Amino acid sequence: MNMWKSFLCGLGMGVMLNLSALAVDLVGSASVNVTSDTAATAKDMAFDEARRQIIADVMRQYVDVDALGNAVKNAKRSELTKLISASSIGGEQVSDTTYSAQIAMTIDADAMRGWLAEQNIQHWIPDGTNTDVFVVDVKMSDGLKNWGQLIQIAQSEKIDLGTKFLTRDSATLELPRSVRGRFTIALREAGWHYANQDGNLKIWK
């Protein structure tokens, strides 16, 4: 019982909500090096490769990874081009047949939402203006160990768990929608399972 109380006390230690991150920042970069028949063709291919890689990397925290991977793989270049609002190039090197560079791109959140809907891929991209919370339903097979791990995840990601209800094997949390992406990534990396539940999140371990 004393151990459990110590975990409850740990909930409030060093856990802070990063309020400055309410707006979603869909920015990524990719290092590309492509050889083709001409430098111009190599550059076109390099940008297409970077675009696909960046979309897959950045958006994986907001959608089902497998569904996204298949959609990006099968998408036409013109489809994905419309999802990028800005790009920049660094370390560009060009020869007669080779193009290499570090390419950064910003994904248009609204365009991405529309494209994901067309692909029938469920997502939870924050809209940048909605500060509403979502509910997390937690089921724990080993209460002390699992809860301690959630506290560690929260501390690492600077997230306030917003605990509303807690027992030895379950909990109810309220988190800002803006942190959902990185929270689910941290959960997955720690071996937790999760599923969308009418806009809320169900997690278990």
Side-chain angles (χ1 to χ4, degrees):
M1 186 66 174
N2 290 336
M3 289 181 63
W4 184 246
K5 287 182 178 178
S6 70
F7 275 107
L8 293 178
C9 292
L11 174 65
M13 296 176 59
V15 183
M16 299 180 297
L17 169 63
N18 185 0
L19 294 174
S20 63
L22 290 176
V24 61
D25 190 19
L26 303 181
V27 180
S29 64
S31 179
V32 291
N33 189 325
V34 177
T35 299
S36 187
D37 54 340
T38 67
T41 301
K43 183 174 182 178
D44 286 343
M45 293 172 62
F47 264 79
D48 183 54
E49 178 182 320
R51 192 179 299 114
R52 293 176 191 274
Q53 181 179 325
I54 290 169
I55 289 173
D57 289 346
V58 174
M59 297 309 303
R60 64 189 294 269
Q61 60 183 314
Y62 301 109
V63 300
D64 176 83
V65 177
D66 292 334
L68 175 66
N70 290 331
V72 171
K73 179 181 178 180
N74 296 321
K76 296 179 180 179
R77 181 182 301 186
S78 58
E79 288 181 60
L80 301 184
T81 300
K82 296 176 182 178
L83 305 180
I84 304 300
S85 62
S87 61
S88 61
I89 306 171
E92 187 178 51
Q93 295 185 2
V94 183
S95 72
D96 290 341
T97 58
T98 301
Y99 181 87
S100 64
Q102 184 74 25
I103 301 175
M105 293 183 177
T106 301
I107 297 171
D108 185 311
D110 290 335
M112 178 58 71
R113 289 189 189 92
W115 183 73
L116 290 173
E118 291 173 359
Q119 304 301 314
N120 293 317
I121 298 177
Q122 190 174 44
H123 68 84
W124 43 88
I125 307 173
D127 64 10
T129 60
N130 187 356
T131 59
D132 289 347
V133 298
F134 68 97
V135 174
V136 183
D137 178 30
V138 186
K139 300 299 180 185
M140 300 176 284
S141 59
D142 186 339
L144 288 172
K145 181 178 179 181
N146 299 157
W147 183 249
Q149 190 172 50
L150 284 178
I151 290 175
Q152 291 178 340
I153 290 173
Q155 291 174 335
S156 176
E157 298 297 323
K158 295 183 173 61
I159 295 172
D160 183 351
L161 285 177
T163 308
K164 300 300 179 182
F165 174 80
L166 178 62
T167 69
R168 287 182 177 272
D169 59 5
S170 65
T172 301
L173 315 175
E174 278 190 354
L175 277 69
R177 294 187 186 279
S178 59
V179 307
R180 181 164 180 159
R182 71 175 191 269
F183 183 61
T184 53
I185 285 181
L187 287 171
R188 182 170 62 241
E189 292 176 347
W192 285 76
H193 304 283
Y194 62 88
N196 184 66
Q197 196 172 49
D198 296 326
N200 294 318
L201 193 67
K202 180 179 180 180
I203 67 174
W204 66 95
K205 191 173 186 183

